[in-house]
Amino acid sequence: MTKELFTGAEMVVKALSALKVKYIFGYPGGSVLDLYDAIFQQDEIEHILVRHEQAATHMADGYSRATGEVGVVLATSGPGATNCVTGIATAYMDSIPMVVLAGQVPTTLIGNDAFQETDIVGCTRPIIKHSFNCRDLADIPNVIAKAFYIASTGRPGPVVVELPKDLLIPQNKAEFAIELDVKMRSYNPNVKGHPKQIRKAVKTINEAKKLVVYSGGGIVLSDASELLTTLVETLKAPITNTLMGLGGISGTHENFVGMLGMHGSFEANKTMANADVILALGARFDDRVTNNVEKFCPNATIIHVDIDPTSISKTINAHVPVVGLVEVVMQQLLDELAATNFTPDEEALADWWQQIHLWRDMRHVGYKQVAGEKIKPQRVVEAMYKITNGEAYVASDVGQHQMFAAQYYPFAKPRQWINSGGAGTMGFGLPAAMGVKLAFPDKHVICITGDGSIQMNIQELSTCLQYNLPVVIVALNNRSLGMVRQWQDMVYGGRHSSSYMESLPDFTKIAEAYGHVGIKIDTLDELDSKLAQAFSIKNKLVFVDVLVDEKEHVYPMHIRQGGIDDMWVEKGVKA
Amino acid sequence: MRHILSILLENEPGALSRIVGLFSQRAFNIESLTVAPTDDNTLSRITIATIGDDKVLEQIVKQVNKLVDVIKITDLTERKHVERELLLVKVVAMNDKSRTEVKRISDIFRGAIVDIGKQIYTIELTGSSDKLNAFIETLNNETEIIESVRSGCVGIARGEKALRV
């Protein structure tokens, strides 16, 4: 009996099916036409045609952030692949599992500067977790299985698979064999924390008088928020989240002191600065958190739990490093706490919380909305929070609106807040929101954006129509690149070099031209009612263009080169 | 401080470029680098001589280890080890006096003359990097060096300790 033979293109599709992939985000082109032909002839996997490959990566990324699944991207060789670079870098910086299938010219032409040839494996080397050059047809299934395994385990990240055209064409066939239980001698991510380190960590926690839990994106990525909440409640400690970690614990939990860092809350940064023990869980002491590392929390003993050893003691020296999956390590910590009959030091806790409440009562995150004056952007976020009961998925672009969303929309659950934290990629918001909406068509999905960011991927309004993705786009339109302008106000003597846009289009008309609904809001009186109207339209995409006060700044803000609690709390006022 | 790192990794296309890329991306220093397949041809072994303080070294070791192709990395300078480097050097040997002198120096350093031309000697020498430096300095005092090439150092731990899968 002869074995059934498959083309490389068929193998790619079969492998993706075996890995339970539902969607591929991509754009066709010469080198991947055979693959597109194979996709056409099956109905297990749906291909979503974007309008620019960058958007395909962000859409796959948003889909992954909301669902926890691996996002899959398909692009042709050359410019198709290079257009993915920003999206790959974005996923890399935030540790998002993604597999990018990139076409390549036939192996016989590689190195010849052939039409649409780019060394995409070379281009992406610094921004991927791993990459594969496929050179043998029969290897395709196992290379794809390995790519998924690497992308989704350990510290997740993007993996690029280069597929030369001659491996995909109908003339070449081979048997299909795939090993889904991947084992690699060179890649075995650590899972459990070392027991000695766990005991050390618990001993340190036991001796703490002013403990703070500082948690990051690792909690969200590993779906460990329930365990985190249990741990925090056991310790009775205050908790702060990084920008990536928001939703790791409910934003309305009484132990939550807000986001920390450059635009973190006054009380979060104060709590960190005054803590004697910091328990860092799935966070990496990013420079937007620490401010000047020399002045960072000088009196704290730091326990650092992370799956990636390179994150530990990279910027801030960890006194008790624990390498392992954060959900596993948190369970180990809870077990050890129980085994050692941990009881919180109530007296110390009372003093610590009294101090924190004093900081909290200073209410330094704030804004002043005066009736009859321009709408404050923060007010728009608060209105959205009320209308959606705090239950919407919020995908953000990058800039002031991102910080306002992080500050004024307390997220109840992980994966609700979708933003480009590490890379800070403008243009991320809309395609990311589309990926979320595809996964959760019945939920409110907001794209919060600005007049700058939205124009970096506005062509995707067309994709939204094609696939019926009725997200609600809320643009906080300040006719400026707000964050750039803020820095220019604060650091560059108010010289607004290239930070404002003199030729903005009418966004509502753009939305209408793409077949959607446009709503413009320019006075405070109509804000709540028109926003409510926008969210009541279920089957059409609504673009809400809100004209907001261009002079508003994001506060608090770190004073450059200061400690974590050196902050501007309002214009001209230092904490 | 100078460290010698031995890296065992998959003999895959692109594996070397990942190592080199990592060093340049993160501004780590490479003093020398050698690479070749091992007795098991599915494995490559890279030896990198680098300079950095303890904090930098910790990051280098962790970052290299994080690369998916890397199986093991060890810092040879942490314990007793044997370190060798190969030098080939072409020098001017015009007359009897200079030929004799070059031969004498070469013998003292236990080098071997591996090629002779009308006016040149080519000498092969292995040893620690320090020994090679000293040899070059001595040659420079006696004659003119026309060309030299060094392999970069390789090393192996002393005793039972072995870097293997």
Side-chain angles (χ1 to χ4, degrees):
Chain A
M1 193 182 101
T2 53
K3 289 262 179 74
E4 200 179 352
L5 299 178
F6 298 92
T7 68
E10 289 165 345
M11 286 197 197
V12 173
V13 175
K14 273 178 78 72
L16 295 175
S17 288
L19 290 154
K20 303 195 166 47
V21 170
K22 298 186 201 84
Y23 299 103
I24 304 175
F25 306 92
Y27 205 102
S31 68
V32 288
L33 285 175
D34 296 288
L35 195 38
Y36 272 85
D37 200 41
I39 291 169
F40 188 85
Q41 296 177 54
Q42 54 83 51
D43 49 17
E44 279 181 56
I45 303 171
E46 188 180 357
H47 177 266
I48 306 293
L49 175 69
V50 292
R51 300 298 179 264
H52 187 292
E53 290 88 350
Q54 184 192 347
T57 54
H58 293 329
M59 203 173 166
D61 183 325
Y63 178 84
S64 173
R65 288 183 204 233
T67 62
E69 294 169 26
V70 176
V72 184
V73 177
L74 172 57
T76 194
S77 62
T82 56
N83 277 346
C84 294
V85 167
T86 301
I88 294 169
T90 305
Y92 178 73
M93 291 297 281
D94 291 343
S95 309
I96 305 303
M98 179 186 285
V99 170
V100 178
L101 306 171
Q104 184 53 286
V105 299
T107 46
T108 49
L109 287 180
I110 287 176
N112 279 310
D113 299 322
F115 175 66
Q116 292 194 330
E117 179 187 359
T118 302
D119 173 15
I120 193 61
V121 164
C123 286
T124 56
R125 191 171 297 116
I127 52 167
I128 40 116
K129 185 168 172 189
H130 196 57
S131 51
F132 292 94
N133 305 80
C134 250
R135 291 292 179 266
D136 186 351
L137 174 59
D139 285 346
I140 288 177
N142 283 327
V143 163
I144 291 177
K146 274 186 191 170
F148 272 69
Y149 172 65
I150 292 168
S152 59
T153 53
R155 180 178 181 177
V159 177
V160 169
V161 179
E162 184 189 80
L163 297 164
K165 176 154 178 145
D166 52 334
L167 268 59
L168 304 173
I169 56 175
Q171 291 83 341
N172 296 331
K173 292 187 175 187
E175 284 175 27
F176 179 89
I178 188 164
E179 182 54 68
L180 292 175
D181 184 19
V182 177
K183 287 194 174 58
M184 296 172 72
R185 64 178 172 181
S186 66
Y187 175 72
N188 299 290
N190 210 358
V191 176
K192 277 182 93 170
H194 196 287
K196 198 179 113 201
Q197 294 304 93
I198 299 290
R199 286 197 295 275
K200 240 176 154 179
V202 166
K203 185 166 177 286
T204 309
I205 289 169
N206 254 311
E207 288 162 2
K209 303 277 181 216
K210 293 189 276 184
L211 172 69
V212 61
V213 179
Y214 147 55
S215 80
I219 298 290
V220 178
L221 288 166
S222 52
D223 293 309
S225 76
E226 276 178 34
L227 210 50
L228 174 67
T229 308
T230 306
L231 180 62
V232 166
E233 286 170 357
T234 305
L235 300 172
K236 299 187 178 176
I239 174 166
T240 177
N241 285 164
T242 67
L243 178 67
M244 291 306 299
L246 293 174
I249 190 162
S250 170
T252 54
H253 194 287
E254 60 176 351
N255 290 39
F256 184 61
V257 294
M259 178 173 78
L260 82 169
M262 179 174 271
H263 294 295
S265 76
F266 180 76
E267 56 266 35
N269 287 339
K270 277 286 179 195
T271 304
M272 285 290 286
N274 290 281
D276 63 354
V277 173
I278 295 172
L279 174 57
L281 300 168
R284 62 184 177 92
F285 297 89
D286 177 81
D287 57 277
R288 285 297 193 265
V289 161
T290 59
N291 211 2
N292 186 343
V293 291
E294 304 295 328
K295 297 178 184 169
F296 180 78
C297 304
N299 304 317
T301 301
I302 292 168
I303 306 166
H304 192 176
V305 180
D306 205 291
I307 184 65
D308 181 358
T310 70
S311 285
I312 292 175
S313 298
K314 181 167 66 180
T315 56
I316 300 293
N317 188 42
H319 305 90
V320 186
V322 188
V323 177
L325 283 174
V326 73
E327 72 269 32
V328 177
V329 173
M330 282 197 296
Q331 189 58 57
Q332 286 178 286
L333 289 175
L334 281 165
D335 293 347
E336 180 68 17
L337 286 166
T340 54
N341 294 317
F342 170 79
T343 42
D345 178 346
E346 295 292 346
E347 204 178 318
L349 266 177
D351 289 349
W352 184 219
W353 274 108
Q354 191 187 13
Q355 177 62 64
I356 293 166
H357 286 306
L358 282 176
W359 290 321
R360 198 179 263 177
D361 290 344
M362 293 163 116
R363 288 273 162 235
H364 274 303
V365 172
Y367 65 96
K368 294 181 192 81
Q369 176 74 68
V370 179
E373 288 186 0
K374 284 181 181 169
I375 301 170
K376 295 289 182 187
Q378 299 95 322
R379 175 72 177 74
V380 184
V381 178
E382 286 187 332
M384 290 195 297
Y385 180 77
K386 277 190 201 127
I387 292 167
T388 58
N389 292 320
E391 289 167 1
Y393 285 92
V394 180
S396 177
D397 261 309
V398 168
Q400 284 185 320
H401 61 268
Q402 179 187 22
M403 293 301 121
F404 290 136
Q407 291 175 337
Y408 290 90
Y409 200 113
F411 296 97
K413 289 184 180 145
R415 302 192 178 281
Q416 228 187 316
W417 168 237
I418 313 277
N419 88 123
S420 168
T425 305
M426 289 173 71
F428 173 81
L430 175 57
M434 290 155 57
V436 180
K437 190 72 184 177
L438 190 70
F440 299 107
D442 300 329
K443 303 276 182 176
H444 279 307
V445 179
I446 303 169
C447 165
I448 183 159
T449 184
D451 46 282
S453 284
I454 191 63
Q455 294 192 82
M456 286 211 188
N457 265 322
I458 200 163
Q459 76 286 347
E460 297 309 317
L461 286 172
S462 175
T463 311
C464 289
L465 186 71
Q466 182 175 353
Y467 295 96
N468 184 29
L469 300 169
V471 299
V472 179
I473 300 170
V474 179
L476 303 183
N477 184 346
N478 58 4
R479 286 81 57 206
S480 293
L481 304 179
M483 194 56 96
V484 171
R485 181 188 166 113
Q486 174 169 345
W487 279 62
Q488 289 170 337
D489 285 340
M490 296 173 74
V491 188
Y492 296 92
R495 293 180 296 279
H496 295 157
S497 177
S498 295
S499 64
Y500 70 109
M501 305 216 163
E502 291 170 311
S503 51
L504 282 180
D506 182 335
F507 289 112
T508 59
K509 285 194 178 145
I510 286 184
E512 284 163 12
Y514 275 107
H516 307 302
V517 178
I519 295 177
K520 187 173 287 183
I521 302 176
D522 59 8
T523 63
L524 187 60
D525 310 342
E526 57 185 11
L527 175 64
D528 295 316
S529 60
K530 281 198 173 175
L531 263 184
Q533 182 201 342
F535 281 97
S536 70
I537 300 171
K538 297 286 179 206
N539 298 320
K540 290 208 127 191
L541 182 150
V542 186
F543 193 123
V544 190
D545 184 19
V546 192
L547 302 182
V548 297
D549 186 353
E550 70 278 11
K551 293 201 172 64
E552 194 62 18
H553 286 178
V554 181
Y555 291 110
M557 181 170 174
H558 271 160
I559 296 168
R560 288 192 306 163
Q561 291 307 312
I564 190 171
D565 61 339
D566 288 325
M567 290 168 276
W568 297 100
V569 288
E570 55 186 284
K571 269 182 200 174
V573 181
K574 291 182 184 180
Chain B
M1 190 192 152
R2 181 167 178 267
H3 293 258
I4 301 167
L5 305 174
S6 281
I7 303 163
L8 202 60
L9 73 168
E10 296 288 355
N11 187 7
E12 293 278 343
L16 174 63
S17 68
R18 290 181 211 280
I19 301 272
V20 176
L22 172 70
F23 273 73
S24 79
Q25 176 190 355
R26 298 199 180 261
F28 299 146
N29 174 287
I30 298 181
E31 193 184 270
S32 77
L33 182 152
T34 68
V35 57
T38 65
D39 54 306
D40 172 352
N41 65 8
T42 67
L43 295 171
S44 284
R45 177 150 169 167
I46 293 178
T47 311
I48 294 180
T50 184
I51 291 172
D53 60 22
D54 289 350
K55 196 173 162 65
V56 171
L57 247 291
E58 182 183 333
Q59 267 299 309
I60 292 176
V61 170
K62 285 174 167 180
Q63 293 285 357
V64 170
N65 234 334
K66 187 174 158 182
L67 294 174
V68 169
D69 284 332
V70 170
I71 297 169
K72 278 182 184 167
I73 174 169
T74 180
D75 182 353
L76 283 180
T77 21
E78 274 179 355
R79 56 179 71 84
K80 287 183 178 164
H81 65 281
V82 181
E83 176 193 339
R84 289 291 180 273
E85 185 174 357
L86 170 70
L87 166 75
L88 294 172
V89 59
K90 198 176 277 185
V91 298
V92 173
M94 296 272 271
N95 49 39
D96 284 353
K97 183 171 170 285
S98 74
R99 282 178 198 159
T100 313
E101 194 54 22
V102 168
K103 175 80 170 72
R104 195 178 67 84
I105 295 168
S106 170
D107 288 345
I108 290 170
F109 280 86
R110 298 181 205 284
I113 294 167
V114 291
D115 188 39
I116 297 176
K118 273 186 188 158
Q119 300 182 340
I120 63 108
Y121 274 6
T122 301
I123 311 158
E124 171 195 317
L125 183 71
T126 54
S128 70
S129 302
D130 276 353
K131 177 180 162 185
L132 267 50
N133 291 341
F135 182 61
I136 287 170
E137 201 184 314
T138 314
L139 277 180
N140 255 329
N141 292 334
E142 290 304 327
T143 181
E144 184 190 342
I145 294 175
I146 296 169
E147 182 185 349
S148 73
V149 56
R150 298 171 68 151
S151 63
C153 75
V154 294
I156 200 161
R158 285 192 185 274
E160 309 295 315
K161 187 108 186 148
L163 186 66
R164 51 182 300 161
V165 178

